[in-house]
Amino acid sequence: MAGVLLWVVSPKGNATALLSLIPRSVNKPKKRSFKRVSAISGAVANPVRSSEQRVYDVVLKQAALVKEQRGRKALDLEKRSEKTDGFTDWDLLNEAYDRCGEVCAEYAKTFYLGTLLMTPERRRAVWAIYVWCRRTDELVDGPNASHITPRALDRWEKRLDDLFEGRPYDMLDAALSDTVSKYPVDIQPFKDMIEGMRLDLKKSRYMNFDELYLYCYYVAGTVGLMSVPVMGIAPESKASVESVYNSALALGIANQLTNILRDVGEDARRGRVYLPQDELARFGLSDDDIFRGQVTDRWRNFMKDQIKRARMFFDEAEKGVPELNPASRWPVWASLLLYRQILDAIEENDYNNFNKRAYVGKVKKFASLPVAYGRALMGTSKFI
Amino acid sequence: MNLGLNDRHLRQSTTVGVSVFSLLIGFEACSGKNRGQIQTQGVEMKRLMKSGTELSPSTIVDGGFQRCHRRTRRFDLFESRMVSLSRVLAVSYTVKPSIPCKTCYLSSRFVQKSKLNSKWRSMATEPDSSSFAPSIDSDYSADKITAGFCIIEGPETVQDFANMELQEIQDNIRSRRSKIFLQMEEVRRLRIQQRIKSAELGILKEEQENELPNFPSFIPFLPPLTSANLKVYYATCYSLIAGIILFGGLIAPTLELKLGLGGTSYADFISSMHLPMQLSEVDPIVASFSGGAVGVISALMVVEINNVKQQEHKRCKYCLGTGYLACARCSNTGSLVLIEPVSTVHGRDLPLSTPKTERCSNCSGSGKVMCPTCLCTGMAMASEHDPRIDPFD
């Protein structure tokens, strides 16, 4: 099911240029809801559909669903409220949302601060999505991951289906169920994320960027797609819905790539390499070089290439933020700018991501806020 | 007058009671003997383990049924079953390492071991031949159940064990608990061997200690504690105390050090700070006692606050350490209200009956469900907190 829904964004040629960035951070999926309109369209038909194409198909489908849902939304909400009225206790729901907020604050401090820039309703919705994503991630990557079987993931998916139908299992599921009833969020990105977890149980190496792109889509691109309905597209936006989703996807991918690049050393210590093997080979590097953890000139060149690709994804994402709902632009811009700065920090560390953690200081973080605010004020511009 | 017991009733009830009581004593005696048997079996097992014999299923089986067969009538049936089981287990033990999927390994191992132990235990604890049949059945159903076991709960899963009889459930619980016990013992012994072998190979000690986290210091800004660090901590602490005593007692009076601003005396200092003059007349002993007490109390407070933060850190954040999340289906109440549509077309002036409730199937009436992140342990990092985890400490 997940396989079918992957649509590739760009043709292979463009993709390789764009995809030179890629660290993987399995344990830190991007929970940022950035919506960027990325116009990576104009795909050249490829005989073998690459990951980018398949992911783009998903994006198109999401956009189509949104248009469809706009018509059906009123009806659905009524139906859902009938079903859930007996199931939800409002105090419990509020408590559930608060708990989601606490979890978010605990595990993703900067992201939490970013959510404080949103409207209260959106904030709660984003927290609920974050907590579900994080719980799913912890199933396979958390401290108790050794007890997880593929069957457990199947059950988790069944729970997801149930909560989308208004039958949540526990209180945190109830928060997401409520969110899903209020905003036109589609189930497919969630299912794709579970599929990504299944993949992660099996894989620890990625042969080429195509595979890595798929992985990044599963763990981070899906988050972008999940959050577009929550953030909302500006009514006056002339951009197509697909392009907004594309940008969101690009932002998710960019975040994941940044994460991967930042955590090369940490992942290597766990025996995982989230860099494409063929690109490593092209620069004369191998897994052993990564495990050894020494910064050589070859490594620097490789990293430069990867960072360039991540920046290209960020640029694609930047095109879409102005198309969002005005209230949502500031937090999205803020997180985009902050995450971009991590790439700068990696460069400042002389590309030593083995031992040093690329860290953006508090001062810099705070300084980005007014810049983000300024950019958020600029609304939707002419869009090609 | 209906309640009055007449003589006949009294005699009857007494007789019944006595007979029941004697039956119970009889069972007790049997089970007592059984318990002794289990104990001897346990001792035997321990002996086996001490001698370093690998805890192979056939050993257990053989040891087990030699004791048991005297009590069972259907000895042949069980013997054949046990032997075949042990063969299966032996095969499965050899096959297991080749299974690439770690999770398959875990679940199949679970199945096999439970088969063995539950059979053994049920044999040992139920001398009655009449209960043999159910125990076989319970094993088979237990196998089916464990084969389908999954750590994540869903709406239907709490019913996994619902089809078992009470006695079966008790047997299963007993067999699983004994299995846990035995495996913890195995872990302890394996860790002994691990330590010995790594010491032989000269592997550094710190590599082995990554299972248990570093002991964080309760005082903020200080480096984490380990047993080696502790000596340094002691030394630093004592030298600081000695230094301060020396300073206050000897050096300061010798140098006529006045710690007021610009070398002022205590009285001048007080008046320059515009504090009431009575402070300058405080007895030195009282002053030092108060200062010391304040210092100690605030230090203890800092330690306590840090301790709370550390403990909170170890808590699972999703369930806040409780291990459970509120069930969404019944909204934490445990019961579902059955809503039946009431037609008022033909209704007369009858009052509505109170709605019926039924037990919530999600949480089986408890109102809460398992937290899938900490797996009901309530801790962020679930590990076995057991002295058996590190025998060398």
Side-chain angles (χ1 to χ4, degrees):
Chain A
M1 90 247 62
V4 173
L5 290 167
L6 290 185
W7 293 69
V8 170
V9 175
S10 60
K12 202 140 184 152
N14 287 355
T16 333
L18 281 169
L19 303 174
S20 50
L21 260 162
I22 295 84
R24 71 155 178 112
S25 16
V26 117
N27 36 358
K28 293 175 218 41
K30 288 309 154 299
K31 303 297 188 289
R32 314 235 176 166
S33 30
F34 296 122
K35 286 134 219 128
R36 294 296 219 151
V37 179
S38 53
I40 313 178
S41 48
V44 174
N46 258 359
V48 174
R49 312 206 74 213
S50 62
S51 297
E52 293 85 41
Q53 287 171 321
R54 287 154 64 200
V55 171
Y56 188 61
D57 289 347
V58 178
V59 168
L60 289 178
K61 192 158 187 271
Q62 288 291 298
L65 279 170
V66 164
K67 290 174 201 153
E68 217 182 286
Q69 271 174 5
R70 271 182 191 155
R72 288 193 293 121
K73 197 168 106 167
L75 205 61
D76 267 353
L77 272 178
E78 279 172 29
K79 265 199 217 155
R80 251 198 209 103
S81 59
E82 274 173 33
K83 257 192 240 174
T84 57
D85 253 358
F87 296 144
T88 53
D89 173 354
W90 296 112
D91 281 339
L92 192 64
L93 197 62
N94 286 332
E95 200 196 310
Y97 274 118
D98 289 338
R99 186 76 63 86
C100 292
E102 282 167 25
V103 172
C104 187
E106 175 65 31
Y107 290 118
K109 292 184 184 58
T110 310
F111 178 63
Y112 177 74
L113 294 174
T115 57
L116 294 180
L117 302 176
M118 299 174 192
T119 60
E121 281 306 314
R122 288 202 180 90
R123 197 182 303 156
R124 281 156 46 115
V126 168
W127 286 345
I129 294 176
Y130 175 82
V131 163
W132 184 89
C133 291
R134 192 172 170 104
R135 285 216 288 178
T136 308
D137 184 53
E138 289 208 356
L139 285 182
V140 295
D141 214 32
N144 305 309
S146 50
H147 303 285
I148 294 297
T149 61
R151 191 149 174 272
L153 282 177
D154 290 338
R155 224 172 237 181
W156 189 250
E157 195 169 341
K158 177 90 183 15
R159 272 172 67 154
L160 176 74
D161 289 330
D162 287 343
L163 79 87
F164 261 82
E165 286 168 21
R167 295 190 307 264
Y169 190 71
D170 61 29
M171 61 190 272
L172 300 177
D173 281 354
L176 184 61
S177 187
D178 184 63
T179 297
V180 153
S181 68
K182 292 204 173 88
Y183 297 93
V185 185
D186 183 51
I187 196 176
Q188 195 48 50
F190 294 89
K191 288 197 166 188
D192 286 344
M193 178 170 273
I194 298 181
E195 182 62 31
M197 298 302 146
R198 286 200 187 97
L199 192 70
D200 204 45
L201 280 179
K202 299 178 255 179
K203 252 184 159 165
S204 63
R205 293 291 185 277
Y206 296 86
M207 288 302 125
N208 48 38
F209 185 69
D210 197 64
E211 287 181 13
L212 191 60
Y213 182 85
L214 194 61
Y215 172 75
C216 291
Y217 163 70
Y218 277 140
V219 299
T222 48
V223 179
L225 297 182
M226 283 172 202
S227 36
V228 171
V230 174
M231 294 295 133
I233 301 177
E236 62 272 10
S237 160
K238 295 194 181 45
S240 68
V241 178
E242 291 89 9
S243 50
V244 181
Y245 272 97
N246 257 336
S247 292
L249 174 71
L251 188 49
I253 307 273
N255 279 345
Q256 187 64 25
L257 298 180
T258 307
N259 232 346
I260 289 174
L261 283 176
R262 185 188 62 183
D263 297 336
V264 171
E266 208 177 299
D267 296 328
R269 280 187 275 278
R270 294 170 62 211
R272 293 172 174 218
V273 176
Y274 286 86
L275 303 162
Q277 296 290 318
D278 60 354
E279 291 176 19
L280 281 170
R282 204 186 326 144
F283 282 85
L285 298 160
S286 70
D287 282 355
D288 292 327
D289 294 306
I290 296 179
F291 290 130
R292 212 177 308 137
Q294 277 171 345
V295 182
T296 59
D297 276 336
R298 277 192 221 162
W299 179 252
R300 289 194 185 92
N301 290 334
F302 173 74
M303 284 301 299
K304 280 187 192 144
D305 195 50
Q306 302 287 310
I307 290 178
K308 194 169 89 173
R309 182 162 56 190
R311 288 204 170 118
M312 274 195 263
F313 269 103
F314 272 118
D315 292 333
E316 276 306 321
E318 277 187 22
K319 291 186 193 149
V321 186
E323 313 302 327
L324 293 175
N325 201 297
S328 313
R329 281 184 215 138
W330 188 23
V332 176
W333 268 118
S335 32
L336 192 152
L337 292 177
L338 280 178
Y339 236 74
R340 256 203 119 118
Q341 287 170 359
I342 294 181
L343 295 175
D344 301 333
I346 296 175
E347 285 176 336
E348 281 162 26
N349 278 345
D350 190 32
Y351 305 100
N352 182 3
N353 40 19
F354 299 115
N355 309 311
K356 293 193 204 166
R357 185 166 165 111
Y359 186 69
V360 178
K362 280 205 171 76
V363 177
K364 248 186 155 182
K365 277 184 184 164
F366 273 111
S368 317
L369 287 179
V371 177
Y373 192 74
R375 292 190 81 165
L377 288 175
M378 299 188 323
T380 162
S381 47
K382 262 215 187 100
F383 180 73
I384 301 166
Chain B
M1 59 180 195
N2 289 339
L3 301 172
L5 288 171
N6 59 25
D7 258 356
R8 216 172 108 225
H9 281 153
L10 200 56
R11 249 178 280 138
Q12 276 179 352
S13 48
T14 326
T15 329
V16 168
V18 165
S19 43
V20 166
F21 190 60
S22 50
L23 270 172
L24 282 174
I25 291 178
F27 280 135
E28 256 294 287
C30 290
S31 56
K33 274 191 223 157
N34 248 359
R35 250 181 265 127
Q37 183 177 303
I38 294 170
Q39 276 173 1
T40 46
Q41 281 168 349
V43 165
E44 177 151 317
M45 239 180 64
K46 272 204 184 136
R47 248 182 261 137
L48 281 171
M49 282 152 67
K50 270 191 194 152
S51 67
T53 336
E54 204 183 334
L55 212 63
S56 74
S58 45
T59 335
I60 301 171
V61 169
D62 290 338
F65 83 58
Q66 269 163 29
R67 302 282 171 162
C68 289
H69 85 271
R70 269 177 259 130
R71 294 209 156 255
T72 76
R73 269 179 251 156
R74 298 202 207 149
F75 157 68
D76 297 325
L77 184 65
F78 273 84
E79 182 187 4
S80 53
R81 278 197 207 279
M82 287 307 242
V83 167
S84 56
L85 248 188
S86 63
R87 256 186 245 129
V88 166
L89 268 156
V91 167
S92 60
Y93 276 158
T94 49
V95 164
K96 275 192 187 80
S98 62
I99 296 175
C101 173
K102 178 174 75 146
T103 51
C104 304
Y105 171 82
L106 281 172
S107 49
S108 54
R109 185 179 162 83
F110 187 64
V111 171
Q112 299 294 350
K113 270 226 152 167
S114 73
K115 249 195 233 175
L116 168 69
N117 278 359
S118 57
K119 255 206 163 120
W120 179 47
R121 281 293 171 186
S122 57
M123 267 177 58
T125 57
E126 316 233 37
D128 270 344
S129 57
S130 54
S131 55
F132 281 140
S135 61
I136 300 176
D137 292 336
S138 76
D139 288 335
Y140 285 153
S141 55
D143 296 346
K144 259 187 271 148
I145 285 166
T146 49
F149 187 76
C150 177
I151 198 75
I152 296 292
E153 274 188 345
E156 317 87 32
T157 65
V158 190
Q159 310 301 321
D160 269 348
F161 297 109
N163 295 326
M164 295 165 70
E165 300 299 327
L166 185 63
Q167 189 57 47
E168 274 179 72
I169 292 177
Q170 286 172 354
D171 293 341
N172 269 290
I173 289 175
R174 217 178 297 141
S175 74
R176 279 171 175 72
R177 289 186 71 176
S178 68
K179 190 166 33 121
I180 291 168
F181 185 87
L182 293 174
Q183 289 191 326
M184 282 303 299
E185 177 62 22
E186 283 180 33
V187 167
R188 190 187 73 86
R189 287 168 183 279
L190 285 168
R191 287 193 73 93
I192 291 173
Q193 292 306 315
Q194 183 188 44
R195 181 68 74 95
I196 292 172
K197 296 250 165 23
S198 338
E200 281 170 16
L201 295 172
I203 295 172
L204 295 170
K205 198 177 165 200
E206 50 240 14
E207 276 181 25
Q208 299 165 30
E209 280 177 55
N210 51 7
E211 273 193 44
L212 294 173
N214 230 353
F215 206 121
S217 167
F218 278 174
I219 301 168
F221 304 122
L222 289 185
L225 284 171
T226 61
S227 39
N229 251 356
L230 201 56
K231 293 205 179 80
V232 176
Y233 266 89
Y234 271 127
T236 320
C237 184
Y238 282 134
S239 48
L240 268 176
I241 291 175
I244 289 174
I245 291 175
L246 268 177
F247 170 75
L250 294 177
I251 300 175
T254 317
L255 298 177
E256 287 186 25
L257 205 61
K258 291 188 162 73
L259 280 173
L261 295 165
T264 54
S265 73
Y266 191 49
D268 293 337
F269 178 69
I270 294 285
S271 61
S272 69
M273 295 296 288
H274 305 293
L275 293 166
M277 282 313 290
Q278 74 185 74
L279 281 178
S280 63
E281 282 143 38
V282 168
D283 180 49
I285 295 177
V286 172
S288 48
F289 171 75
S290 316
V294 167
V296 165
I297 291 170
S298 37
L300 287 175
M301 270 310 296
V302 165
V303 167
E304 275 309 320
I305 289 170
N306 230 33
N307 186 15
V308 167
K309 275 205 216 130
Q310 297 293 349
Q311 295 305 327
E312 273 186 355
H313 197 60
K314 291 191 207 141
R315 266 194 329 193
C316 170
K317 292 289 176 299
Y318 297 89
C319 53
L320 298 181
T322 59
Y324 288 96
L325 293 168
C327 172
R329 183 132 186 240
C330 55
S331 299
N332 218 5
T333 57
S335 59
L336 297 173
V337 176
L338 297 172
I339 300 171
E340 287 164 9
V342 176
S343 159
T344 50
V345 177
H346 306 293
R348 287 169 272 153
D349 285 327
L350 287 175
L352 291 171
S353 57
T354 50
K356 296 195 214 39
T357 61
E358 71 166 8
R359 192 194 299 258
C360 170
S361 53
N362 258 14
C363 54
S364 291
S366 61
K368 45 191 189 177
V369 296
M370 175 190 101
C371 169
T373 313
C374 63
L375 302 179
C376 267
T377 58
M379 299 179 43
M381 290 285 303
S383 63
E384 320 89 43
H385 282 277
D386 205 292
R388 286 172 282 194
I389 197 72
D390 204 339
F392 282 91
D393 276 348

